[in-house]
Amino acid sequence: MTTSRSVGPVVPQRVAFDSPIALACGMSLPQWELVYETYGTLNAARSNAILICHALSGHHHVAGYYADNPKNLGWWDNMIGPGKPIDTNRFFVVGVNNLGGCHGSTGPASINPATGEPWGADFPIVTVPDWVRAQAKLADHLGIEQWAAVVGGSLGGMQALQWTIDLPGRVRHALVIAAAPKLTAENIAFNDVARQAILTDPDFHGGHFYRHGTRPTRGLRLARMLGHITYLSDDQMAEKFGRKKRLGAGSYGFGVEFEIESYLRYQGDKFAGFFDANTYLLMTKALDYFDPAAPYGDDLAAALSRAQAKFLVISFSTDWRFSPARSREIVNALVKERKDVAYVEITSRHGHDSFLMDDPYYHAVVAGYLNRVAT
Amino acid sequence: MTTSRSVGPVVPQRVAFDSPIALACGMSLPQWELVYETYGTLNAARSNAILICHALSGHHHVAGYYADNPKNLGWWDNMIGPGKPIDTNRFFVVGVNNLGGCHGSTGPASINPATGEPWGADFPIVTVPDWVRAQAKLADHLGIEQWAAVVGGSLGGMQALQWTIDLPGRVRHALVIAAAPKLTAENIAFNDVARQAILTDPDFHGGHFYRHGTRPTRGLRLARMLGHITYLSDDQMAEKFGRKKRLGAGSYGFGVEFEIESYLRYQGDKFAGFFDANTYLLMTKALDYFDPAAPYGDDLAAALSRAQAKFLVISFSTDWRFSPARSREIVNALVKERKDVAYVEITSRHGHDSFLMDDPYYHAVVAGYLNRVAT
């Protein structure tokens, strides 16, 4: 399906920075690397570049596939490619793994030059503004003075928003999808339970599990199971699983019995098998800390008054993690500052995960917006 | 506040049954005990008795206090006492710890006569219908042929509902508060994450932690933290905690930082300090299995057609665990069968926990209903 309009085989690239990056937490990384992918062709004016920012568990492999593993499609392959909503026939698209990630960019599993061992829990906490600064260094490296657009869903959308505030001259359009201007107490509460699951796993060893030859898979699995509940909608769960029992499942015991249990445990096991627990902790903290209005007296409109970009804000009707009301907070602040903003609430059954889905109306909205973006 | 209208000092009582109780899972308990408390006086006609059914973490100590620990108030002391909504000047009120509990009734920490050791994970899974049958044995023991009312919130409300179906002649009124006719996939999902936290805690030892001298406090703590998120409303959390940081809390680390984290971890620690993990597992399974319509072709109205009781159904506006829509499913089934039902949706900020709160309107509704109940 996707191959006909696929960007085709892609190869991740790597850039090493020798100048230190100062982080919000007060620490700085002396040397650091980012892994990224690009799709399409940068035009002569270097004016057709789009940055894709990833969410909690995402990475730089956003579109296409790897030659040695054609099934390893990019996580947003349905959105990006020739003739797709983010059209690589027109745009030069960049995916990047954020600092602190576990897919190749400098992160907790990287070697701490001060110790010669993996950073582990000593890796500094990174924030959304830190990521924006790191992504700007990548833009410099690629010779991109201004992005045609910065695009992201969920935590990725928060990065797009932060770009418009922190580096307003470097982004012409921001697509802020399924995001919120800051987390609620309930959002933080879910993140904290997930973190506590990891932090209290005896195999976590204070974050230095690498040197113990262990992985806190129990904690990571619980964190992911819990996360999945908040990514799906109640309606969708009811429709897909309801109270259905798994065929052949036992009863009156604690094994898998309901289909929903089977699904969640499978998702948890799969994720715990590859994701880095320290990265999970960092990503959830970046979410909790995200609050671009804070330095502007808690006034989101004041924060966004700096923005020069035009905005497309998208929310999904059944998203209860970052509900449409949260997107409207962003829209209202932009309207107050008379910024150029389009807002669409998509009717969708898929909850927060909708931003990853191949919904024709959603894709038409993104395509329609980007078709009018000059390159 | 409560002492002036308190039932005063109370003493738990115990009854041992020597005839086996057959359980839904196919096992039976040869000998079993229930711990209970009573408040008020049973009248000569034995017609003024009210049974209080407890929820996931509740027990038999529903009202009053213990002489040696006056601060240990019953969990529903604001509702029950002389002149209170469930008025002990008129009614004889019975609180009971359910089978499988960890407050004195036969449960996983009791000795399995077959082994001479605690049952642990071998304790049979108990269901809401099992509890109703056990409670009926207690009623027999107390000489109560028919309850004036069976009352409960959450899982307790489910027991009240089950009473009207399974033993219709033995209950004149059912007060079904903050309940649902069955759990959704999302409800089950939350329960399963909680169970997995306990089951995968290395200190759980397959449920036989008693003999290892350990307790799966990490898992139980996570389960309770997660539970608390679902008991509170998003609004209430926003109002009470918002994004407030704890005074003196560090930043850019994984210690307590936001107030909501402090609250949840405190609640988790407190609960993990005393509650039995096997009981927690059993209680969540009883919730998951609860589905009184299932034996009646999934037709709740058909199930409730047997009921002879009159009903008061109460829901709370901000309860997202068992929302008002879930209570209306019960009401609609009762209306379809032309049963006598009153339904009130209380506007409350406290989410699912509202059923435990001292809300004047809520209490007036219960008082007003019970004032018209003949004894």
Side-chain angles (χ1 to χ4, degrees):
Chain A
M1 274 81 80
T2 47
T3 41
S4 63
R5 296 196 299 163
S6 171
V7 300
V10 295
V11 178
Q13 299 169 70
R14 174 179 298 273
V15 54
F17 298 94
D18 286 327
S19 57
I21 183 166
L23 303 171
C25 66
M27 288 175 67
S28 69
L29 290 171
Q31 302 124 14
W32 50 288
E33 298 184 2
L34 293 179
V35 168
Y36 64 98
E37 291 181 6
T38 70
Y39 324 110
T41 308
L42 188 60
N43 64 13
R46 298 175 178 274
S47 61
N48 69 331
I50 291 182
L51 174 67
I52 309 295
C53 302
H54 70 74
L56 204 155
S57 60
H59 44 68
H60 55 286
H61 184 38
V62 184
Y65 56 88
Y66 294 142
D68 61 354
N69 184 5
K71 286 186 175 168
N72 186 354
L73 284 184
W75 57 265
W76 221 0
D77 190 77
N78 62 32
M79 182 66 92
I80 297 158
K84 289 184 182 173
I86 300 178
D87 188 347
T88 50
N89 289 333
R90 290 187 64 222
F91 293 105
F92 175 69
V93 179
V94 178
V96 59
N97 186 215
N98 279 330
L99 268 185
C102 56
H103 289 85
S105 292
T106 300
S110 306
I111 298 300
N112 177 351
T115 64
E117 285 198 61
W119 282 94
D122 300 330
F123 194 85
I125 298 234
V126 282
T127 65
V128 170
D130 291 336
W131 286 336
V132 168
R133 258 175 298 114
Q135 290 159 358
K137 295 288 183 188
L138 175 62
D140 295 344
H141 169 75
L142 295 171
I144 297 161
E145 172 53 30
Q146 187 184 58
W147 298 103
V150 179
V151 182
S154 192
L155 178 55
M158 294 171 175
Q159 294 162 57
L161 196 65
Q162 192 79 51
W163 261 96
T164 69
I165 297 168
D166 290 358
L167 296 167
R170 299 194 69 174
V171 48
R172 290 206 303 284
H173 296 270
L175 277 64
V176 179
I177 305 171
K182 62 186 173 192
L183 265 59
T184 63
E186 187 182 271
N187 294 146
I188 295 172
F190 278 119
N191 280 346
D192 196 49
V193 176
R195 280 192 295 268
Q196 289 295 309
I198 292 168
L199 292 164
T200 63
D201 185 325
D203 286 333
F204 182 64
H205 294 291
H208 292 291
F209 50 88
Y210 316 103
R211 71 168 77 131
H212 288 83
T214 61
R215 301 183 66 246
T217 48
R218 284 176 295 235
L220 201 50
R221 174 175 178 269
L222 290 171
R224 185 62 167 185
M225 289 177 72
L226 178 53
H228 260 279
I229 299 179
T230 71
Y231 304 152
L232 305 182
S233 75
D234 190 16
D235 286 356
Q236 178 195 10
M237 270 202 208
E239 191 177 303
K240 192 167 173 185
F241 306 106
R243 296 177 53 85
K244 282 200 293 284
K245 303 272 176 88
R246 190 143 183 250
L247 214 66
S251 276
Y252 299 113
F254 299 116
V256 162
E257 184 166 357
F258 292 95
E259 283 284 4
I260 181 66
E261 297 174 319
S262 169
Y263 171 81
L264 282 184
R265 295 185 199 181
Y266 171 77
Q267 294 293 339
D269 286 335
K270 195 172 68 166
F271 189 73
F274 74 90
F275 206 82
D276 182 278
N278 284 311
T279 290
Y280 200 89
L281 294 174
L282 290 177
M283 295 285 162
T284 60
K285 269 304 210 191
L287 275 163
D288 289 2
Y289 283 137
F290 179 69
D291 190 1
Y296 299 87
D298 289 325
D299 181 345
L300 184 63
L304 286 166
S305 70
R306 302 169 49 84
Q308 300 170 24
K310 298 179 178 181
F311 290 81
L312 173 61
V313 178
I314 299 178
S315 67
F316 298 93
S317 57
T318 53
D319 184 350
W320 64 279
R321 185 178 173 88
F322 301 135
S323 70
R326 307 307 313 281
S327 281
R328 286 195 296 267
E329 293 176 35
I330 297 169
V331 172
N332 290 340
L334 288 167
V335 168
K336 189 175 172 198
E337 295 296 323
R338 298 173 180 278
K339 301 295 179 188
D340 189 322
V341 54
Y343 171 59
V344 181
E345 180 184 325
I346 309 277
T347 300
S348 165
R349 295 173 303 113
H350 297 286
H352 187 60
D353 265 355
S354 298
F355 85 87
L356 296 166
M357 299 293 165
D358 193 359
D359 177 87
Y361 180 57
Y362 164 44
H363 277 197
V365 165
V366 173
Y369 186 90
L370 288 178
N371 281 344
R372 288 191 299 272
V373 168
T375 58
Chain B
M1 273 86 79
T2 48
T3 41
S4 64
R5 297 195 297 163
S6 172
V7 299
V10 296
V11 177
Q13 298 170 71
R14 175 178 297 273
V15 54
F17 299 94
D18 287 327
S19 58
I21 183 166
L23 304 171
C25 66
M27 288 176 67
S28 69
L29 290 170
Q31 301 125 14
W32 50 289
E33 298 184 2
L34 292 179
V35 168
Y36 65 98
E37 291 181 7
T38 70
Y39 325 110
T41 308
L42 189 59
N43 63 12
R46 300 175 175 273
S47 61
N48 69 333
I50 291 182
L51 175 67
I52 309 294
C53 302
H54 70 74
L56 202 155
S57 61
H59 45 68
H60 56 285
H61 183 37
V62 184
Y65 55 88
Y66 294 141
D68 61 352
N69 183 7
K71 286 186 175 167
N72 186 354
L73 286 183
W75 57 265
W76 221 0
D77 190 77
N78 64 31
M79 182 66 91
I80 297 158
K84 290 183 181 173
I86 299 178
D87 189 348
T88 50
N89 290 331
R90 292 187 65 223
F91 293 106
F92 175 69
V93 179
V94 179
V96 60
N97 186 214
N98 279 330
L99 268 185
C102 58
H103 288 85
S105 293
T106 299
S110 306
I111 298 299
N112 177 352
T115 65
E117 285 198 60
W119 282 94
D122 299 330
F123 195 84
I125 298 238
V126 282
T127 65
V128 170
D130 290 335
W131 287 336
V132 167
R133 260 177 295 114
Q135 290 159 358
K137 295 288 183 188
L138 175 62
D140 294 344
H141 169 74
L142 296 170
I144 296 159
E145 172 52 32
Q146 186 185 58
W147 299 103
V150 179
V151 181
S154 191
L155 178 55
M158 294 170 175
Q159 293 161 59
L161 197 65
Q162 192 80 51
W163 261 96
T164 69
I165 297 168
D166 289 358
L167 296 168
R170 299 195 69 174
V171 49
R172 291 206 302 284
H173 296 270
L175 277 66
V176 179
I177 305 171
K182 63 185 173 191
L183 266 59
T184 62
E186 187 181 271
N187 294 145
I188 295 172
F190 277 119
N191 280 345
D192 195 50
V193 176
R195 280 193 295 266
Q196 289 296 310
I198 292 168
L199 291 164
T200 63
D201 184 327
D203 286 333
F204 182 65
H205 294 293
H208 292 291
F209 50 87
Y210 316 101
R211 72 167 75 130
H212 288 83
T214 61
R215 300 183 65 247
T217 49
R218 284 176 295 236
L220 201 49
R221 174 175 178 270
L222 291 171
R224 185 63 165 182
M225 289 177 72
L226 178 53
H228 260 280
I229 300 179
T230 70
Y231 304 152
L232 305 182
S233 75
D234 190 17
D235 286 356
Q236 178 195 9
M237 271 202 206
E239 192 177 303
K240 193 168 174 184
F241 305 106
R243 296 177 53 84
K244 282 201 293 284
K245 303 271 177 90
R246 189 142 184 251
L247 215 64
S251 323
Y252 299 113
F254 299 116
V256 162
E257 183 166 357
F258 292 94
E259 283 283 5
I260 181 66
E261 295 174 321
S262 170
Y263 171 82
L264 281 185
R265 295 186 200 180
Y266 171 78
Q267 295 293 340
D269 286 334
K270 196 172 69 166
F271 188 74
F274 74 89
F275 206 83
D276 182 278
N278 283 313
T279 290
Y280 200 89
L281 295 175
L282 290 177
M283 294 286 162
T284 59
K285 268 304 208 190
L287 275 163
D288 289 1
Y289 283 138
F290 178 69
D291 190 1
Y296 299 87
D298 289 325
D299 180 346
L300 184 61
L304 285 165
S305 70
R306 301 170 49 84
Q308 300 170 23
K310 296 178 178 182
F311 290 82
L312 173 61
V313 178
I314 299 178
S315 67
F316 298 93
S317 56
T318 54
D319 184 351
W320 64 279
R321 185 177 173 88
F322 300 135
S323 71
R326 307 308 311 283
S327 281
R328 286 195 294 269
E329 293 176 33
I330 298 169
V331 172
N332 290 340
L334 289 166
V335 167
K336 188 174 174 199
E337 294 297 320
R338 298 173 180 276
K339 301 296 177 187
D340 189 322
V341 54
Y343 171 59
V344 181
E345 180 184 324
I346 309 278
T347 301
S348 165
R349 293 175 303 114
H350 296 286
H352 188 59
D353 266 356
S354 298
F355 85 88
L356 296 166
M357 300 292 165
D358 195 358
D359 177 87
Y361 181 56
Y362 165 42
H363 277 197
V365 166
V366 173
Y369 186 90
L370 288 178
N371 282 343
R372 290 191 299 273
V373 168
T375 58

